[in-house]
């Protein structure tokens, strides 16, 4: 028995010694302001005396307890517990009384999230008169009936989170004593019934989160919340919202009833009353992910309310964002948005809209319009005529075949127009006169385009044009020569076969970026890019180039980046790139290149990085190139981005060993050498033959002269 007692003492001492607050985890962050991290329990902390009874400056003590246990004994420092202002507990407290809270009467912030609580006994918050925020989220609580009781009324609790628990029922008296509450989070529980109206006493509540529960009907549960500004009901099972349950909707800034089972929209859902808003408020009405088929006209009541508000001299500036995406909307009535004042964002994406014909005056303030993912085949001027402030227009994933005349004649503030994934094959005009003063972006990718022309006087201030993934085979049919503000053109992933000096009808005065990757380019003729003197980036990767012609890059005096990766260029002579005086980055990755002659780059004036990944360059060549760079003989540095072939490396760059040169197929060079040798031999033989005949000729002439001389001598 004595031995057992001794073991208990030893075990107790071990437990006590492992529960402490290390001195290196006590951080003084100000005058009587501390951040403390403890393990197991809170003990062994000594703070200056003035921090216990001081009234000259506020005391802030933020404590985090990891692997917290609920064990209290004579070693507790009650004076210290009484000055804790913020407490975060990390551990596993399945069934708890939260007994420590009876000693933390100055607590303002309490976090008990994700510690496995299934049941809380008693009324542990009773003495926490100063508590402002309480986080009980990510536990397994089911019963909160008598949990929130306080000694002093009204208490100061402003924010309560019960999210991600297992709460099914909320008794009517559950929040009786929380009249000061401003934010309540009950999301991600299994609440289905609100018939007991548990929120009736929360008169100061501004934010209520009930998203991701099983609520089918509001039953007027929020009608008493006259100060409510944000109501979140996302991810429930609501099929209908009756008139009684919409009594407070006119003063909501956020009304999120997305991903429910609503089939009809009541016009009152769009109505807001200006008395409840401050200047520049943004109302968000989120109805995405329901089963809505029709958007009805505003009733006379909502329309008259709008005009009365507009005429009122005390009218405030209210902006509205409306999200109706991911429904089954087929019909939008002409005056559907008439009750909405200053609608700035309208999302109708992922519906079944065929025709978008609405009163343009109702959309005069619109900045963002998303019609993506519908069945629209035709655009109408009357719908867009008043949208003079429109900046972002998304028409992607529709069935447009062309852009009608005058459609966007009044839209001079467009920043982004997305028309990807339509059925446009040819465009002789985009019918957009002018983009935003800061510049515009037009995306026509994935359409099947083979021809596009933007005539003079159109597309002013167009800065970026995307044409990738189309059917462009003849780049001369892409006439952008009048777009003097155009800086970026992307024609990647098309069917372009070859380029010459007449292929690119692009604006030479402004273009700085041209992407021609993923085409079928096998030949680039001389002076192809001569008209683009200001180009800084040229991408020609993923094509079928086998060699480059002299003069192909003539005129590219400002080019900084050239991408020739993923082609079939086996041999590259730097002489071919001599026009690129300012080149900084060259990529020849994945060409199976065997020869890279850098002789002409020895005089390059700027640092030039050459990416040589996945080629067949030898270590001997690489070593010489790196030595020349390291010794300052050249400013050209070979390098890799993602590694390359072979196990051998030089300065971490993979290469092929010199002895494997014989493994490289150099038949074309051997054949060329043999032909040259044969030719040289033939020339030498011809020269020898000519010399032979010449010598014979000279000898014969000399012999004749000698014979004449002898005859003369004999005659004399």
């Amino acid at each position: 028995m004595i031995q057992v007692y001794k073991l208990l003492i030893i075990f107790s001492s071990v437990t006590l010694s492992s529960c402490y607050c290390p001195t290196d985890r006590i951080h003084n962050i100000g005058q009587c302001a501390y951040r403390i991290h403890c393990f197991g329990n809170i003990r062994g902390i000594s703070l200056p005396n003035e921090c216990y009874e001081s009234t000259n400056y506020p005391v802030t003590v933020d404590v985090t307890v990891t692997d917290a246990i609920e064990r209290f004994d004579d070693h507790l420092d009650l004076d210290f517990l009484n000055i804790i202002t913020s407490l975060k507990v990390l551990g596993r407290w399945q069934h708890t009384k939260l007994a420590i809270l009876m000693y933390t009467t100055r607590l303002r912030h309490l976090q008990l999230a994700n510690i496995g609580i299934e049941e809380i006994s008693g009324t542990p918050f009773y003495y926490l008169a100063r508590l402002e925020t309480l986080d009980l989220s990510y536990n397994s609580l089911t019963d909160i009936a008598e949990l929130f009781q306080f000694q002093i009324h009204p208490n100061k609790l402003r924010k309560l989170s019960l999210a991600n628990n297992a709460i099914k029922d909320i008794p009517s008296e559950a929040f009786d004593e929380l009249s000061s509450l401003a934010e309540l989070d009950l999301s991600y529980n299994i609440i289905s019934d609100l018939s007991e109206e548990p929120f009736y006493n929360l008169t100061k509540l501004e934010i209520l989160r009930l998203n991701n529960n099983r609520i089918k009907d509001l039953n007027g549960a929020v009608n008493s919340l006259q100060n409510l500004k944000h109501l979140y009901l996302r991810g429930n099972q609501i099929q209908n919202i009756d008139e009684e349950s919409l009594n407070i909707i006119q003063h909501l800034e956020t009304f999120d009833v997305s991903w429910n089972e609503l089939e009809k929209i009541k016009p009152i859902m769009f109505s807001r009353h200006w008395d409840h808003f401050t200047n520049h408020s943004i109302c968000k009405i989120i109805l995405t992910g329901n089963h809505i088929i029709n958007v009805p006209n505003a009733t006379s009541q909502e329309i008259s309310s709008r005009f009365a508000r507009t005429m009122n001299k005390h009218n405030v500036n209210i902006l509205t964002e409306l999200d109706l995406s991911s429904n089954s909307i087929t019909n939008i009535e002409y005056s559907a948005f008439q009750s909405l004042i200053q609608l700035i964002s309208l999302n109708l994406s992922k519906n079944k809209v065929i025709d978008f014909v609405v009163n343009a005056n109702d959309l005069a303030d619109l900045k963002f319009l998303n019609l993506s993912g519908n069945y629209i085949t035709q655009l109408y001027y009357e719908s867009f005529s008043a949208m003079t402030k429109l900046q972002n227009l998304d028409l992607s994933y529709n069935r447009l075949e062309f852009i009608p005349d005058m459609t966007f004649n009044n839209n001079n503030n467009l920043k982004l127009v997305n028309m990807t994934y339509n059925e446009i094959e040819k465009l002789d005009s985009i019918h957009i006169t002018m983009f935003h003063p800061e510049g515009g972006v037009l995306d026509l990718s994935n359409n099947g385009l083979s021809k596009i022309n933007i005539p003079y006087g159109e597309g002013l201030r167009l800065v970026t044009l995307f044409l990738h993934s189309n059917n462009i085979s003849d780049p001369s049919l892409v006439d952008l020569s009048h777009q003097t503000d155009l800086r970026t053109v992307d024609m990647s992933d098309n069917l372009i076969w070859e380029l010459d000096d007449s292929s690119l009808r692009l604006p030479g005065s402004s273009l700085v970026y041209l992407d021609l990757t993923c085409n079928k380019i096998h030949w680039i003729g001389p002076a192809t890019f001569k008209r683009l003197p200001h180009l800084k980036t040229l991408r020609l990767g993923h094509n079928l180039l086998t060699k480059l012609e002299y003069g192909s890059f003539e005129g590219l005096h400002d080019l900084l980046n050239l991408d020739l990766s993923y082609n079939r260029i086996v041999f590259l002579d730097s002489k071919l790139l001599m026009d690129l005086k300012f080149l900084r980055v060259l990529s020849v990755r994945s060409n199976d290149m065997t020869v890279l002659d850098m002789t002409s780059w020895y005089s390059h004036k700027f640092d030039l990085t050459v990416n040589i990944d996945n080629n067949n360059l030898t270590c001997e060549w690489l070593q010489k190139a790196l030595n020349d760079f390291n010794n300052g003989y050249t400013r050209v540095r070979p390098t890799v981005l993602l590694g390359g072939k072979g196990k051998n490396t030089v300065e971490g760059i993979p290469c092929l060993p010199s002895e494997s040169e014989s493994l490289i197929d150099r038949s074309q060079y051997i054949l060329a050498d043999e032909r040259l040798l044969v030719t040289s031999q033939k020339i030498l033989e011809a020269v020898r033959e000519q010399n032979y005949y010449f010598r014979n000729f000279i000898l014969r002439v000399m012999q004749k002269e000698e014979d004449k001389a002898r005859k003369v001598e004999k005659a004399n």
Side-chain angles (χ1 to χ4, degrees):
M1 186 69 183
I2 295 176
Q3 291 178 345
V4 173
Y5 178 71
K6 289 181 178 179
L7 287 173
L8 288 174
I9 293 175
I10 294 172
F11 178 77
S12 177
S13 63
V14 170
T15 304
L16 291 175
S17 64
S18 64
C19 300
Y20 71 109
C21 306
T23 55
D24 62 338
R25 297 297 185 95
I26 301 175
H27 302 286
N28 183 201
I29 57 176
Q31 187 71 42
C32 285
Y34 292 87
R35 186 176 293 118
I36 302 170
H37 195 159
C38 300
F39 298 88
N41 210 329
I42 303 172
R43 58 164 48 87
I45 302 173
S46 178
L47 300 183
N49 292 332
E50 62 266 20
C51 295
Y52 287 89
E53 300 295 336
S54 173
T55 57
N56 297 324
Y57 27 77
V59 178
T60 302
V61 180
D62 184 348
V63 178
T64 298
V65 186
T66 300
D67 295 329
I69 63 172
E70 283 197 279
R71 176 179 175 136
F72 299 94
D73 49 38
D74 295 337
H75 295 279
L76 283 176
D77 185 347
L78 299 183
D79 290 335
F80 174 75
L81 292 178
N82 189 46
I83 65 170
I84 296 177
T85 56
S86 178
L87 177 61
K88 178 180 180 179
V89 174
L90 302 173
R92 299 299 296 176
W93 290 5
Q94 190 172 357
H95 301 280
T96 179
K97 295 182 179 180
L98 298 177
I100 192 175
L101 299 183
M102 71 175 68
Y103 307 107
T104 57
T105 55
R106 296 190 186 183
L107 206 60
R108 295 200 300 268
H109 308 284
L110 176 58
Q111 185 171 339
L112 299 169
N114 197 22
I115 60 174
I117 300 176
E118 295 181 7
E119 180 186 6
I120 299 177
S121 304
T123 56
F125 312 114
Y126 187 75
Y127 297 106
L128 303 183
R130 305 184 187 186
L131 192 65
E132 297 174 11
T133 65
L134 173 57
D135 187 353
L136 288 163
S137 61
Y138 291 93
N139 285 292
S140 301
L141 285 169
T142 58
D143 184 11
I144 58 170
E146 300 178 357
L147 186 58
F148 305 108
Q149 297 184 27
F150 293 84
Q151 183 182 30
I152 299 176
H153 301 280
N155 56 71
K156 294 185 178 181
L157 191 64
R158 295 275 299 167
K159 182 177 180 180
L160 171 61
S161 178
L162 291 161
N164 294 88
N165 277 279
I167 301 169
K168 182 179 180 180
D169 299 310
I170 307 178
S172 58
E173 71 281 359
F175 306 119
D176 272 4
E177 299 191 15
L178 305 182
S179 57
S180 297
L181 206 62
E183 181 175 348
L184 175 59
D185 190 349
L186 287 161
S187 58
Y188 292 93
N189 280 281
I190 51 176
I191 301 166
S192 59
D193 186 10
L194 295 174
S195 59
E196 295 192 35
E197 299 186 21
F199 313 121
Y200 76 95
N201 195 44
L202 303 181
T203 55
K204 296 182 180 180
L205 196 66
E206 296 180 1
I207 303 173
L208 176 58
R209 301 181 188 275
L210 289 166
N211 46 292
N212 298 90
N213 278 280
R214 301 177 183 177
I215 299 169
K216 296 181 179 180
D217 198 321
L218 291 177
N219 290 314
V222 297
N223 283 350
S224 62
L225 308 180
Q226 293 302 313
N227 287 300
L228 193 66
K229 294 181 179 179
H230 307 280
L231 176 59
Y232 298 91
L233 295 165
R234 176 187 177 95
N236 280 283
Q237 301 170 11
I238 300 173
Q239 297 180 352
N240 180 50
I241 301 179
D242 55 34
E243 296 291 338
E244 182 184 1
S245 297
L246 292 172
N247 286 344
I248 53 93
I249 194 130
Q250 290 192 345
H251 57 260
L252 287 178
E253 289 187 27
T254 303
F255 179 49
D256 184 354
V257 66
S258 59
W259 300 104
N260 276 274
E261 299 175 10
L262 288 172
E263 295 182 358
K264 294 183 179 179
I265 295 179
K266 292 181 172 62
I268 194 175
M269 289 183 182
F270 293 168
S271 181
R272 296 293 181 271
H273 197 283
W274 63 270
D275 281 338
H276 298 276
F277 297 96
T278 58
N279 204 21
H280 301 294
S281 294
I282 298 180
C283 296
K284 297 181 180 180
I285 305 171
I286 308 171
L287 295 163
T288 187
N290 281 279
H291 307 313
I292 301 167
I293 299 175
N294 179 56
V295 185
N297 282 324
T299 64
S300 57
Q301 180 181 353
E302 282 81 41
I303 296 173
S304 61
S305 175
R306 167 181 173 167
F307 284 107
R309 188 177 358 165
T310 304
M311 296 299 294
N312 194 298
K313 62 181 180 180
H314 299 295
N315 187 35
V316 295
N317 188 24
I318 303 174
L319 307 177
T320 305
E321 297 178 359
L322 176 60
D323 190 346
L324 288 162
S325 61
S326 299
N327 279 281
S328 300
I329 298 171
T330 57
N331 182 49
I332 303 172
E333 298 188 21
Y334 187 73
S335 298
F337 309 114
Q338 197 163 6
S339 62
L340 294 164
I341 294 184
Q342 286 191 278
L343 182 63
I344 61 169
S345 177
L346 175 59
N347 190 348
L348 286 161
S349 63
K350 298 180 181 179
N351 278 284
K352 299 178 181 179
V353 179
I354 298 175
D355 283 324
F356 182 68
V357 182
V358 295
N359 188 337
N361 294 323
D362 298 338
L363 306 178
D365 296 295
L366 206 62
K367 291 184 178 181
F368 307 94
L369 175 59
N370 191 344
L371 294 168
S372 173
N374 282 282
Y375 303 121
I376 298 172
T377 58
Q378 176 77 28
L379 300 177
Y380 300 95
Y381 167 75
E382 60 183 293
S383 297
F384 291 91
S385 60
M387 296 185 203
T388 57
K389 299 178 182 179
L390 189 63
Q391 294 183 3
N392 287 29
L393 173 61
D394 193 343
L395 289 163
S396 60
Y397 291 94
N398 277 283
R399 298 180 179 178
L400 294 171
E401 296 182 1
F402 65 99
I403 303 174
D405 294 348
M406 300 182 65
T407 303
F408 303 115
N409 272 19
N410 296 344
N411 310 111
N412 296 331
N413 284 296
L414 289 167
K415 285 186 175 182
L416 173 61
V417 179
N418 184 357
M419 292 186 177
T420 60
Y421 290 96
N422 276 279
E423 299 173 7
I424 305 171
E425 296 182 359
K426 294 182 180 180
L427 276 180
D428 292 319
S429 174
I430 59 173
H431 299 294
I432 300 175
T433 304
M434 186 179 297
F435 286 85
H436 193 274
E438 296 177 3
V441 177
L442 175 60
D443 195 342
L444 291 165
S445 306
N446 297 94
N447 266 283
L449 270 169
S450 60
K451 176 185 178 182
I452 177 172
N453 175 46
I454 304 181
Y456 181 79
E458 270 196 13
L460 301 178
R461 301 195 291 234
L462 177 63
V463 173
T464 302
L465 177 61
F466 291 104
L467 296 170
H468 66 78
S469 303
N470 278 290
N471 291 329
I472 300 170
S473 58
D474 184 356
S476 65
L477 297 179
V478 179
D479 188 357
L480 309 172
S481 54
H482 301 298
Q483 304 310 301
T484 55
D485 296 313
L486 193 61
R487 294 176 59 83
T488 299
V489 173
D490 183 350
M491 286 195 286
S492 62
D493 201 8
N494 276 279
L495 305 173
I496 300 172
W497 181 250
E498 61 182 22
L499 297 170
D500 57 33
D501 58 353
S502 63
S503 297
L504 301 175
R505 306 180 69 179
L506 304 173
S509 60
S510 60
L511 198 69
V512 297
Y513 183 98
L514 177 59
D515 192 344
L516 293 165
T517 58
C518 299
N519 277 276
K520 297 182 178 181
I521 301 171
H522 74 285
W523 181 76
I524 300 176
T528 293
F529 306 103
K530 189 175 182 179
R531 299 177 184 176
L532 306 175
H534 302 299
L535 202 64
K536 295 187 182 299
T537 298
L538 175 59
R539 301 192 62 196
L540 291 163
H542 292 272
N543 277 286
L544 303 176
L545 292 169
T546 57
K547 64 177 182 177
L548 300 177
E549 302 289 338
Y550 282 100
S552 294
F553 302 104
E554 179 185 354
L556 293 178
H557 304 301
D558 292 344
L559 196 69
L560 301 177
N561 305 293
L562 176 60
D563 181 9
L564 294 169
S565 60
Y566 293 92
N567 277 280
R568 301 173 182 179
I569 304 171
V570 178
F571 173 83
L572 179 61
D573 189 340
S574 56
K575 291 179 181 178
L576 301 172
L577 306 179
M578 282 294 291
D579 290 318
L580 310 180
K581 303 295 185 182
F582 290 91
L583 192 65
R584 304 294 180 89
V585 178
L586 170 65
S587 179
V588 292
R589 303 171 61 219
S590 299
N591 271 281
D592 286 331
M593 187 175 293
T594 58
V595 177
L596 175 55
D597 180 17
M598 301 200 302
T599 306
S600 299
W601 285 331
Y602 276 84
S603 60
H604 201 70
K605 295 182 179 180
F606 302 95
D607 291 339
L608 174 57
T609 299
V610 183
N611 297 318
I612 60 171
D613 315 46
N614 295 316
N615 281 290
N616 292 318
L617 298 168
T618 66
C619 297
E620 181 181 359
W621 172 88
L622 180 58
Q623 184 67 68
K624 182 179 185 305
L626 290 173
N627 286 341
D628 289 344
F629 174 78
N630 295 331
N631 293 326
Y633 299 144
T634 176
R635 303 184 71 169
V636 181
R637 175 135 177 23
T639 187
V640 291
L641 296 178
L642 300 173
K645 296 180 179 179
K647 299 180 180 180
N648 298 277
T649 62
V650 177
E651 295 187 17
I653 303 175
C655 57
L656 293 179
S658 300
E659 57 267 21
S660 59
E661 287 185 14
S662 59
L663 301 177
I664 301 172
D665 182 10
R666 298 182 182 273
S667 57
Q668 56 181 323
Y669 307 116
I670 294 172
L671 181 60
D673 291 340
E674 290 176 348
R675 290 175 178 173
L676 182 59
L677 179 60
V678 170
T679 303
S680 300
Q681 289 174 343
K682 289 181 178 181
I683 293 173
L684 287 173
E685 290 175 359
V687 170
R688 288 171 184 165
E689 185 176 359
Q690 290 296 324
N691 288 337
Y692 172 77
Y693 287 117
F694 182 75
R695 284 196 301 270
N696 289 340
F697 174 76
I698 294 297
L699 290 173
R700 285 196 297 269
V701 171
M702 292 176 64
Q703 185 65 42
K704 288 180 180 180
E705 291 294 329
E706 289 177 359
D707 291 339
K708 286 181 181 180
R710 290 191 189 101
K711 288 180 180 179
V712 171
E713 289 178 354
K714 287 179 180 180
N716 293 332

